C-alpha cells in the first residue's frame, strides 16, 4: 500500500529521463500497455490459483522484478551528479541548493534537504499554467474513474444481478482491450495527432462510457461499452506525457510525484462522494427513479476534465529534447 503509487510514479520518471522529448508519449503508452498486460495475466492467474498460492507467486514475481531492476537498469541520475541538481521548475532563478561559504566557494546541500515542500508545489502550479491545467484534468478524470470503480460493481449487481464471474469477464475484456490499444494503436497515433488531442479524445470516450453505463437497459450493454475503452486508455499516458514535458530532465520525479499525489487525493474522495449517491438512487427511498443517476454525475465530472483538457496550452515546455537520451 505504501509503495504502490510510488512505483508507478518512479517508473514514469525513469522512463522520461531516458526517452527523448518527441517519443515520450509513445513510451508512456507502451509502459501503460505492459502494465495492462500484467493486470490481465494476474487476473487470469488468480482464477486458477488458490488464495495462498496466489500470494506466494505474487511475492516471487515481485522479488524477480527487484533482481531484474538491479541487474539491467542503470541509474538515470549518476551519484556524482545528483547532489548538484538545481530546481528550475520550482524556484526559477534561485540557487536553493547552494550555500556560500566565507571563501565564496559554493557548498552543495545534501539531497534529502531538497525535498519539495507544499509551497514549492504551489509555486510550480502558479508558474507553469500548462502543468496546472494538467493537474486539474488529472483530478477530475481520476475523481470520475474512482467513482466508476467504487460504484459500477454495486450498480451492475443491483440492476442486472451480475456475479463474480461476470465481473471478472468485464475486467479481462477491459484489460485485453487496453493492452492492445496502448501497445499498438496509441504509438501510431501520437505523431500525427499529438498527446494533447489524444488526451481530449480519451476523456470524451470516458464520458460516453459512463453515459452508456448510466442508461444501460440490458446486461449486454456493459460488455458493449467495454469497446469504448479502446480509446479511453489514451488519456492517462497522454496526461503524464504533457506533465512530463513541463519539467526539466532532472525534475521528472517531482512532476510525476505531484500528479500522482493529486490522483491519490481524487481516488480517496471518489468513494466518499459516489458510493453513498449510488446506494441512495438504487434504494426505494430515491428522490426520483433513475438508478444510474450517480453514473451520470460521474460522466459530468469526466466532462469537466474533457473541457479543461481543451484549454491546455501549447506553450513551450521546460523539458528539452536534447537533454534526454535518444532510444
Amino acid at each position: 500500500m505504501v509503495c504502490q503509487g510510488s512505483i508507478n510514479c518512479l517508473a514514469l520518471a525513469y522512463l522520461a529521463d531516458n526517452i527523448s522529448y518527441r517519443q515520450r508519449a509513445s513510451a508512456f503508452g507502451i509502459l501503460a500497455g505492459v502494465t495492462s498486460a500484467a493486470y490481465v495475466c494476474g487476473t487470469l492467474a488468480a482464477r486458477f490459483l488458490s488464495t495462498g498460492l496466489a500470494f506466494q507467486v505474487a511475492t516471487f514475481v515481485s522479488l524477480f522484478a527487484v533482481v531484474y531492476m538491479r541487474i539491467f537498469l542503470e541509474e538515470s541520475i549518476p551519484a556524482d551528479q545528483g547532489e548538484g541538481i538545481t530546481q528550475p521548475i520550482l524556484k526559477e532563478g534561485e540557487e536553493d541548493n547552494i550555500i556560500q561559504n566565507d571563501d565564496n566557494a559554493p557548498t552543495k546541500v545534501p539531497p534529502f534537504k531538497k525535498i519539495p515542500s507544499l509551497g514549492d508545489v504551489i509555486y510550480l502550479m502558479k508558474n507553469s499554467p500548462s502543468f496546472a491545467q494538467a493537474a486539474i484534468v488529472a483530478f477530475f478524470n481520476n475523481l470520475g474513474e474512482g467513482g466508476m470503480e467504487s460504484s459500477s460493481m454495486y450498480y451492475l449487481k443491483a440492476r442486472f444481478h451480475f456475479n463474480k464471474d461476470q465481473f471478472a469477464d468485464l475486467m479481462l475484456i477491459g484489460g485485453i482491450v487496453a493492452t492492445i490499444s496502448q501497445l499498438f494503436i496509441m504509438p501510431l497515433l501520437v505523431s500525427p495527432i499529438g498527446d494533447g488531442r489524444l488526451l481530449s479524445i480519451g476523456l470524451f470516450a470516458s464520458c460516453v462510457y459512463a453515459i452508456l453505463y448510466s442508461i444501460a437497459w440490458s446486461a449486454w450493454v456493459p460488455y458493449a461499452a467495454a469497446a469504448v475503452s479502446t480509446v479511453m486508455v489514451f488519456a492517462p499516458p497522454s496526461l503524464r506525457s504533457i506533465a512530463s514535458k513541463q519539467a526539466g530532465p532532472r525534475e521528472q520525479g517531482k512532476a510525476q510525484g505531484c500528479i500522482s499525489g493529486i490522483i491519490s487525493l481524487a481516488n480517496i474522495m471518489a468513494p466518499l462522494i459516489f458510493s453513498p449517491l449510488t446506494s441512495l438512487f438504487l434504494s426505494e427511498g430515491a428522490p426520483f427513479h433513475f438508478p444510474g443517476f450517480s453514473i451520470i454525475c460521474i460522466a459530468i465530472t469526466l466532462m469537466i476534465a474533457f473541457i479543461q483538457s481543451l484549454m491546455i496550452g501549447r506553450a513551450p515546455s521546460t523539458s528539452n529534447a536534447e537533454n534526454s537520451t535518444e532510444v
Side-chain angles (χ1 to χ4, degrees):
M1 292 173 66
V2 173
C3 299
Q4 183 177 6
S6 60
I7 289 175
N8 183 54
C9 170
L10 291 173
L12 291 166
Y14 183 89
L15 195 62
D17 284 338
N18 292 278
I19 297 293
S20 66
Y21 177 90
R22 296 182 182 275
Q23 296 176 330
R24 206 167 287 170
S26 298
F28 282 178
I30 292 172
L31 178 62
V34 172
T35 303
S36 298
Y39 175 80
V40 171
C41 293
T43 303
L44 285 172
R47 296 192 69 173
F48 296 103
L49 298 176
S50 64
T51 304
L53 185 58
F55 279 103
Q56 294 175 10
V57 172
T59 303
F60 172 78
V61 173
S62 298
L63 291 174
F64 176 79
V66 174
V67 174
Y68 174 88
M69 180 191 71
R70 296 304 301 168
I71 294 175
F72 294 103
L73 270 65
E74 297 181 0
E75 195 63 62
S76 59
I77 301 179
D80 58 347
Q81 298 179 15
E83 294 184 0
I85 296 172
T86 57
Q87 302 178 30
I89 193 172
L90 297 178
K91 301 287 187 181
E92 190 93 79
E94 297 182 13
E95 300 294 332
D96 284 343
N97 55 335
I98 296 180
I99 300 174
Q100 295 290 337
N101 293 331
D102 293 336
D103 56 357
N104 294 326
T107 301
K108 297 172 184 176
V109 176
F112 67 86
K113 292 187 178 180
K114 298 183 292 182
I115 298 174
S117 63
L118 179 60
D120 293 326
V121 174
I122 295 174
Y123 186 93
L124 166 60
M125 296 291 184
K126 290 182 178 179
N127 288 271
S128 180
S130 294
F131 189 90
Q133 290 168 336
I136 295 173
V137 171
F139 176 78
F140 283 102
N141 179 44
N142 284 274
L143 186 64
E145 287 188 354
M148 284 295 293
E149 290 178 3
S150 62
S151 304
S152 59
M153 290 187 178
Y154 182 27
Y155 170 75
L156 292 176
K157 185 174 182 180
R159 285 276 287 158
F160 305 113
H161 308 289
F162 269 40
N163 56 38
K164 61 182 182 64
D165 291 333
Q166 290 173 300
F167 288 135
D169 291 340
L170 279 177
M171 294 167 66
L172 283 175
I173 292 171
I176 292 171
V177 170
T179 300
I180 296 173
S181 181
Q182 291 171 330
L183 284 178
F184 303 108
I185 300 177
M186 184 175 174
L188 298 177
L189 297 178
V190 168
S191 296
I193 296 180
D195 49 13
R197 289 194 182 124
L198 276 181
L199 172 62
S200 298
I201 291 171
L203 292 172
F204 182 77
S206 298
C207 296
V208 174
Y209 179 82
I211 291 172
L212 286 175
Y213 257 71
S214 68
I215 61 174
W217 58 92
S218 179
W220 62 266
V221 175
Y223 291 96
V228 182
S229 61
T230 305
V231 184
M232 283 171 50
V233 294
F234 293 161
S238 299
L239 178 65
R240 293 286 190 169
S241 175
I242 292 171
S244 172
K245 291 174 182 178
Q246 306 307 313
R250 302 299 188 184
E251 299 163 333
Q252 294 299 320
K254 298 170 186 175
Q256 298 299 334
C258 182
I259 294 295
S260 294
I262 292 170
I263 289 173
S264 297
L265 176 62
N267 287 332
I268 292 172
M269 294 176 61
L272 300 177
I273 297 172
F274 295 109
S275 293
L277 193 62
T278 303
S279 178
L280 174 63
F281 278 88
L282 288 174
S283 68
E284 296 180 355
F288 51 89
H289 181 71
F290 189 178
F293 180 77
S294 63
I295 312 296
I296 279 290
C297 293
I298 291 171
I300 294 172
T301 303
L302 294 169
M303 182 59 68
I304 295 173
F306 167 69
I307 294 172
Q308 183 63 40
S309 72
L310 299 176
M311 302 177 185
I312 294 180
R314 301 294 185 266
S317 61
T318 306
S319 179
N320 190 340
E322 296 178 358
N323 293 331
S324 299
T325 304
E326 296 282 349
V327 295

